[in-house]
Amino acid sequence: MSGVATVLAKTREQGRAALVGYLPVGFPDLQGSIDAMVAMVESGVDIVEIGVPYTDPLMDGPVIAHAADVALQNGTRLADIFTAVRAVAHAGAPALVMTYWNPVLRYGVDRFADDLARAGGAGLITPDLIPDEGAQWIVAAERNGLDHVFLVAPSSTPQRLRSTTSACTGFVYAASSMGVTGARTSVGDAAEVLVTRTRQMTATPICVGLGVSTGAQAAQVAAFADGVIVGSALVRCLADAASPADGLTAIRELSAELAAGVRRKR
Amino acid sequence: MNDQPSTSAAATGGPQAGRFGDYGGRYVPEALVAALEQLDEARLKARIDPAFQGELERLHRTYSGRPSILTEVPHFAEHAGGARILLKREDLNHTGSHKINNVLGQGLLAKRMGKTRIIAETGAGQHGVASATVAALMGLECVVYMGTKDTQRQALNVARMRLLGAEVIPVSHGSATLKDAINEAMRDWVTNVGTTHYAIGTVTGPHPFPEMVRDFQRIIGVEARAQVLDLVGRLPDAVCACVGGGSNSMGIFHRFIDDESVRLIGFEAGGHGVGTDKHAARFSTGVPGVLHGAYTYVLQDEDGQTLESHSVSAGLDYPSVGPEHSFLRDSGRAEYRPITDTEAMDAFSLLCRTEGIIPAIESAHALAGALEIGRELGPGAVILVNLSGRGDKDVDTAARWFGLLDDEQPDGLEQR
């Protein structure tokens, strides 16, 4: 069983949802991003999503797009991903890399899979690679024991929910509302409807992303999902901080609040 | 029979759906897949529906002014080694370029799919103007995304779109040009896909856009082939077109693909020269990768990050290119060459002064290419050039380039 599957089995046994936290590598700088990822793990995040900064992040809203811009201006390189992966794995959480497809393609799909596995990574989440185009990646991932997480959306047809979920390992990423990443004041019903529809197709755990920013929202989503994914709200902790130390404090506080949320009695 | 688009693997839904050789595909968020499937179904039905084709043909004839004429330019051709040069006058279409051909088709499709809103990206502004125009004609809401670098160099087209009732949203992040406008349009589409059709302006993006846009532009080559045969009595030796995303070039090339004697030559923006980092010559220094939903040649660094392109013409200033061009290039059926800013502007000026036609700076790259090819082919060669747009929008840029602004009134255009 993969590291991700093990964590999700454990949290299910504990009668709670898992907390998945996203941060991009290189924001505010390389060391700062790694320190923040480790702080998340120490404060209750179960699985870390490590974002690869990319010049054309067309699924991301302004907060994450800005962080990617800064990371690239800082000279963040693709190889830095593996440094972050090693640090997260060392801190004791599965490290899933979230990346647009072209950086992996340019690095070489097989070479990327080999190097990710060697660094102790858990797998990939691919927001612009659907399983239909992912044959080479799935083979490379299987060979290395890496998870391949794909996304489902409210607009997915029943047929696509079936084919996409059957291509997922680790978990299924339910992009809960139509739109790009970013905190929303209301999580809405769309997430629960999507999770219900997805469950009819698969026994693989389902984690919900896009929009969660508070402990209360995390608790709300945890009532029906196997995992709660938080991204922009965590990135904002770093973006809004007056100093690196303040940023880490904010990351710890929000992680703890979210971790309490996913543990609230269902 | 050859005037109908061929049925490709994409149309038959085989395992290579949406692929031109290795190129193309559908690298998009799952949230868009249902809309792409709906669009594919609608456009395949429309392609064989006499009612749809009849309505499109009527709009071509009574609204945009098709067929566009063919103009021989003997004085310009004196500089082309004795070759004959024939211009396909897409610049004379309503809105001033070939872009209207595609948008009329996509507008009709949007209405068929029950969408009430269209969004578009634009570089030079020609596709944005065409989209705003068709939206006004068909009663659709229209939002156009445009990089701030382009809203500055194409200010006239921004005003034109607003006059037509469209909302123009300037995009200031990234390189603030066409590529970033596409990112922003994609974000809008992911969010509003229920009500909105994304009318991509060129032959790139996820399947079915490259094939669908080509089919809507294919009429350029269909008409031109018949017109050249009529005028010259034989096929041309070469067909020249500029290549940004590649819709005008695919439009004029496609009908000639089976005519093996006809060379198909695309001209990319060589900017300051392909030895510099300021150009958009994807086939000179790019490598295959994924951008904006398609696998194709992309200007990128060794980490797969997109590199910024450069061109004096906003419409060619794009780091990627339609996937069918990548296929034609690798198969050897078409050739691609860079034309520098200076070569393009020289050809721009030459056409103005010898023939009384002000071309778009984009199209001037094809004109410069035709001069080059003419000198290579020698006397008697017949060269067909797609004059894809007119240069009204470029007067500001050209006036600065050639220093035509009087010292007494340097603020005339500067502070408009």
PDB file of all heavy atoms in Angstrom, chain B residues 246-260:
ATOM      1  N   GLY B 246      -1.197  30.200 -36.265  1.00  0.00           N
ATOM      2  CA  GLY B 246      -1.180  29.468 -37.523  1.00  0.00           C
ATOM      3  C   GLY B 246      -2.516  29.294 -38.218  1.00  0.00           C
ATOM      4  O   GLY B 246      -2.651  28.392 -39.050  1.00  0.00           O
ATOM      5  N   SER B 247      -3.510  30.156 -37.952  1.00  0.00           N
ATOM      6  CA  SER B 247      -4.818  29.892 -38.566  1.00  0.00           C
ATOM      7  C   SER B 247      -4.900  30.374 -40.007  1.00  0.00           C
ATOM      8  O   SER B 247      -5.505  29.709 -40.848  1.00  0.00           O
ATOM      9  CB  SER B 247      -5.960  30.478 -37.741  1.00  0.00           C
ATOM     10  OG  SER B 247      -5.975  31.886 -37.751  1.00  0.00           O
ATOM     11  N   ASN B 248      -4.276  31.512 -40.336  1.00  0.00           N
ATOM     12  CA  ASN B 248      -4.391  31.934 -41.735  1.00  0.00           C
ATOM     13  C   ASN B 248      -3.574  31.011 -42.621  1.00  0.00           C
ATOM     14  O   ASN B 248      -3.973  30.699 -43.748  1.00  0.00           O
ATOM     15  CB  ASN B 248      -4.016  33.423 -41.894  1.00  0.00           C
ATOM     16  CG  ASN B 248      -2.542  33.662 -42.184  1.00  0.00           C
ATOM     17  OD1 ASN B 248      -2.103  33.507 -43.307  1.00  0.00           O
ATOM     18  ND2 ASN B 248      -1.774  34.018 -41.158  1.00  0.00           N
ATOM     19  N   SER B 249      -2.445  30.536 -42.101  1.00  0.00           N
ATOM     20  CA  SER B 249      -1.598  29.644 -42.897  1.00  0.00           C
ATOM     21  C   SER B 249      -2.251  28.270 -43.066  1.00  0.00           C
ATOM     22  O   SER B 249      -2.284  27.731 -44.172  1.00  0.00           O
ATOM     23  CB  SER B 249      -0.209  29.533 -42.273  1.00  0.00           C
ATOM     24  OG  SER B 249      -0.282  29.436 -40.872  1.00  0.00           O
ATOM     25  N   MET B 250      -2.817  27.706 -41.982  1.00  0.00           N
ATOM     26  CA  MET B 250      -3.532  26.428 -42.153  1.00  0.00           C
ATOM     27  C   MET B 250      -4.694  26.617 -43.110  1.00  0.00           C
ATOM     28  O   MET B 250      -5.007  25.749 -43.913  1.00  0.00           O
ATOM     29  CB  MET B 250      -4.066  25.894 -40.815  1.00  0.00           C
ATOM     30  CG  MET B 250      -3.112  25.037 -40.005  1.00  0.00           C
ATOM     31  SD  MET B 250      -2.112  23.834 -40.901  1.00  0.00           S
ATOM     32  CE  MET B 250      -3.358  22.895 -41.781  1.00  0.00           C
ATOM     33  N   GLY B 251      -5.338  27.791 -43.010  1.00  0.00           N
ATOM     34  CA  GLY B 251      -6.489  28.068 -43.868  1.00  0.00           C
ATOM     35  C   GLY B 251      -6.131  28.055 -45.335  1.00  0.00           C
ATOM     36  O   GLY B 251      -6.847  27.499 -46.169  1.00  0.00           O
ATOM     37  N   ILE B 252      -4.988  28.647 -45.687  1.00  0.00           N
ATOM     38  CA  ILE B 252      -4.626  28.681 -47.115  1.00  0.00           C
ATOM     39  C   ILE B 252      -3.864  27.416 -47.527  1.00  0.00           C
ATOM     40  O   ILE B 252      -3.948  26.992 -48.671  1.00  0.00           O
ATOM     41  CB  ILE B 252      -3.846  29.967 -47.478  1.00  0.00           C
ATOM     42  CG1 ILE B 252      -3.888  30.174 -49.008  1.00  0.00           C
ATOM     43  CG2 ILE B 252      -2.410  29.931 -46.953  1.00  0.00           C
ATOM     44  CD1 ILE B 252      -3.567  31.584 -49.453  1.00  0.00           C
ATOM     45  N   PHE B 253      -3.159  26.768 -46.590  1.00  0.00           N
ATOM     46  CA  PHE B 253      -2.393  25.556 -46.940  1.00  0.00           C
ATOM     47  C   PHE B 253      -3.287  24.350 -47.208  1.00  0.00           C
ATOM     48  O   PHE B 253      -2.991  23.528 -48.073  1.00  0.00           O
ATOM     49  CB  PHE B 253      -1.444  25.153 -45.796  1.00  0.00           C
ATOM     50  CG  PHE B 253      -0.213  25.998 -45.615  1.00  0.00           C
ATOM     51  CD1 PHE B 253       0.643  25.773 -44.536  1.00  0.00           C
ATOM     52  CD2 PHE B 253       0.124  27.013 -46.523  1.00  0.00           C
ATOM     53  CE1 PHE B 253       1.790  26.529 -44.344  1.00  0.00           C
ATOM     54  CE2 PHE B 253       1.267  27.786 -46.340  1.00  0.00           C
ATOM     55  CZ  PHE B 253       2.098  27.539 -45.244  1.00  0.00           C
ATOM     56  N   HIS B 254      -4.342  24.207 -46.406  1.00  0.00           N
ATOM     57  CA  HIS B 254      -4.955  22.889 -46.292  1.00  0.00           C
ATOM     58  C   HIS B 254      -5.446  22.313 -47.614  1.00  0.00           C
ATOM     59  O   HIS B 254      -5.258  21.126 -47.903  1.00  0.00           O
ATOM     60  CB  HIS B 254      -6.089  22.910 -45.258  1.00  0.00           C
ATOM     61  CG  HIS B 254      -6.482  21.534 -44.811  1.00  0.00           C
ATOM     62  ND1 HIS B 254      -7.587  20.879 -45.287  1.00  0.00           N
ATOM     63  CD2 HIS B 254      -5.880  20.664 -43.962  1.00  0.00           C
ATOM     64  CE1 HIS B 254      -7.659  19.677 -44.739  1.00  0.00           C
ATOM     65  NE2 HIS B 254      -6.637  19.525 -43.937  1.00  0.00           N
ATOM     66  N   ARG B 255      -6.052  23.168 -48.431  1.00  0.00           N
ATOM     67  CA  ARG B 255      -6.592  22.671 -49.701  1.00  0.00           C
ATOM     68  C   ARG B 255      -5.479  22.257 -50.663  1.00  0.00           C
ATOM     69  O   ARG B 255      -5.719  21.525 -51.621  1.00  0.00           O
ATOM     70  CB  ARG B 255      -7.498  23.762 -50.330  1.00  0.00           C
ATOM     71  CG  ARG B 255      -8.149  23.379 -51.641  1.00  0.00           C
ATOM     72  CD  ARG B 255      -9.070  22.179 -51.491  1.00  0.00           C
ATOM     73  NE  ARG B 255      -9.597  21.727 -52.771  1.00  0.00           N
ATOM     74  CZ  ARG B 255      -8.964  20.889 -53.591  1.00  0.00           C
ATOM     75  NH1 ARG B 255      -7.776  20.427 -53.264  1.00  0.00           N
ATOM     76  NH2 ARG B 255      -9.504  20.520 -54.734  1.00  0.00           N
ATOM     77  N   PHE B 256      -4.252  22.724 -50.403  1.00  0.00           N
ATOM     78  CA  PHE B 256      -3.127  22.418 -51.303  1.00  0.00           C
ATOM     79  C   PHE B 256      -2.296  21.217 -50.825  1.00  0.00           C
ATOM     80  O   PHE B 256      -1.329  20.848 -51.493  1.00  0.00           O
ATOM     81  CB  PHE B 256      -2.193  23.635 -51.410  1.00  0.00           C
ATOM     82  CG  PHE B 256      -2.773  24.805 -52.165  1.00  0.00           C
ATOM     83  CD1 PHE B 256      -3.376  25.862 -51.493  1.00  0.00           C
ATOM     84  CD2 PHE B 256      -2.721  24.850 -53.564  1.00  0.00           C
ATOM     85  CE1 PHE B 256      -3.897  26.942 -52.188  1.00  0.00           C
ATOM     86  CE2 PHE B 256      -3.251  25.929 -54.267  1.00  0.00           C
ATOM     87  CZ  PHE B 256      -3.844  26.985 -53.576  1.00  0.00           C
ATOM     88  N   ILE B 257      -2.639  20.650 -49.674  1.00  0.00           N
ATOM     89  CA  ILE B 257      -1.766  19.607 -49.107  1.00  0.00           C
ATOM     90  C   ILE B 257      -1.576  18.434 -50.070  1.00  0.00           C
ATOM     91  O   ILE B 257      -0.479  17.896 -50.215  1.00  0.00           O
ATOM     92  CB  ILE B 257      -2.300  19.149 -47.726  1.00  0.00           C
ATOM     93  CG1 ILE B 257      -1.994  20.231 -46.688  1.00  0.00           C
ATOM     94  CG2 ILE B 257      -1.656  17.820 -47.310  1.00  0.00           C
ATOM     95  CD1 ILE B 257      -2.520  19.954 -45.300  1.00  0.00           C
ATOM     96  N   ASP B 258      -2.647  18.066 -50.775  1.00  0.00           N
ATOM     97  CA  ASP B 258      -2.541  16.935 -51.705  1.00  0.00           C
ATOM     98  C   ASP B 258      -1.909  17.315 -53.046  1.00  0.00           C
ATOM     99  O   ASP B 258      -1.646  16.439 -53.870  1.00  0.00           O
ATOM    100  CB  ASP B 258      -3.923  16.314 -51.942  1.00  0.00           C
ATOM    101  CG  ASP B 258      -4.463  15.650 -50.682  1.00  0.00           C
ATOM    102  OD1 ASP B 258      -3.640  15.276 -49.818  1.00  0.00           O
ATOM    103  OD2 ASP B 258      -5.701  15.532 -50.544  1.00  0.00           O
ATOM    104  N   ASP B 259      -1.710  18.607 -53.280  1.00  0.00           N
ATOM    105  CA  ASP B 259      -1.064  19.049 -54.519  1.00  0.00           C
ATOM    106  C   ASP B 259       0.446  19.036 -54.311  1.00  0.00           C
ATOM    107  O   ASP B 259       1.049  20.035 -53.923  1.00  0.00           O
ATOM    108  CB  ASP B 259      -1.523  20.478 -54.891  1.00  0.00           C
ATOM    109  CG  ASP B 259      -3.019  20.558 -55.148  1.00  0.00           C
ATOM    110  OD1 ASP B 259      -3.574  19.619 -55.757  1.00  0.00           O
ATOM    111  OD2 ASP B 259      -3.637  21.563 -54.738  1.00  0.00           O
ATOM    112  N   GLU B 260       1.049  17.900 -54.602  1.00  0.00           N
ATOM    113  CA  GLU B 260       2.444  17.711 -54.183  1.00  0.00           C
ATOM    114  C   GLU B 260       3.428  18.687 -54.819  1.00  0.00           C
ATOM    115  O   GLU B 260       4.504  18.929 -54.271  1.00  0.00           O
ATOM    116  CB  GLU B 260       2.874  16.262 -54.447  1.00  0.00           C
ATOM    117  CG  GLU B 260       2.262  15.314 -53.430  1.00  0.00           C
ATOM    118  CD  GLU B 260       2.511  13.852 -53.753  1.00  0.00           C
ATOM    119  OE1 GLU B 260       3.414  13.568 -54.562  1.00  0.00           O
ATOM    120  OE2 GLU B 260       1.783  13.010 -53.191  1.00  0.00           O
TER     121      GLU B 260
END
